[in-house]
Amino acid sequence: RYGVSTGFGTFTAQAGVAHTINQFTIASDNFKSAEYTVHIERENTQQVQKVLVMQNGTTAFSNEYAVMYNGNLLVSIGATVASGAVKLEVTPRAGISGLTTYRFTRETMK
């Protein structure tokens, strides 16, 4: 099965502190893989990229690709499994702090 979802929000960036921007529960939405397009914006800088995620129920694997940015690279993006959920997390890079906006599109396969 295939599905598409979207989301957006804000968080206060602090270098090295991960923020979950999306998650799905394995018990109810056991997606084997998900492809995200993520847009991050802070002040006059922005970053857009793809992240491919797969999971086996206990571990998530992720790969960042097609990364574009103006100004400085703002975040690194990865996935984890915690409390029965796959979580997409953004981690601000050194020197990045303050109010940050994100948008994403997630395409999934079961």
Side-chain angles (χ1 to χ4, degrees):
R1 293 184 352 206
Y2 177 78
V4 177
S5 63
T6 61
F8 64 92
T10 61
F11 64 94
T12 301
Q14 182 179 357
V17 178
H19 298 272
T20 300
I21 63 168
N22 185 243
Q23 66 182 30
F24 60 87
T25 304
I26 295 169
S28 59
D29 294 315
N30 193 19
F31 304 127
K32 297 301 180 190
S33 66
E35 181 181 44
Y36 288 86
T37 302
V38 180
H39 181 269
I40 305 288
E41 191 169 5
R42 188 185 73 73
E43 295 177 352
N44 295 325
T45 60
Q46 57 184 329
Q47 173 179 336
V48 67
Q49 69 178 77
K50 296 275 195 173
V51 182
L52 192 58
V53 176
M54 69 176 189
Q55 58 89 18
N56 62 12
T58 57
T59 305
F61 308 89
S62 61
N63 188 332
E64 299 176 89
Y65 65 101
V67 180
M68 298 186 311
Y69 58 94
N70 70 333
N72 296 316
L73 187 62
L74 299 171
V75 299
S76 295
I77 304 177
T80 62
V81 173
S83 302
V86 176
K87 299 180 179 191
L88 187 71
E89 297 182 331
V90 297
T91 304
R93 301 183 54 94
I96 304 301
S97 63
L99 187 63
T100 304
T101 302
Y102 66 88
R103 297 169 183 81
F104 70 85
T105 301
R106 179 185 76 199
E107 299 179 38
T108 54
M109 288 189 291
K110 275 193 173 179

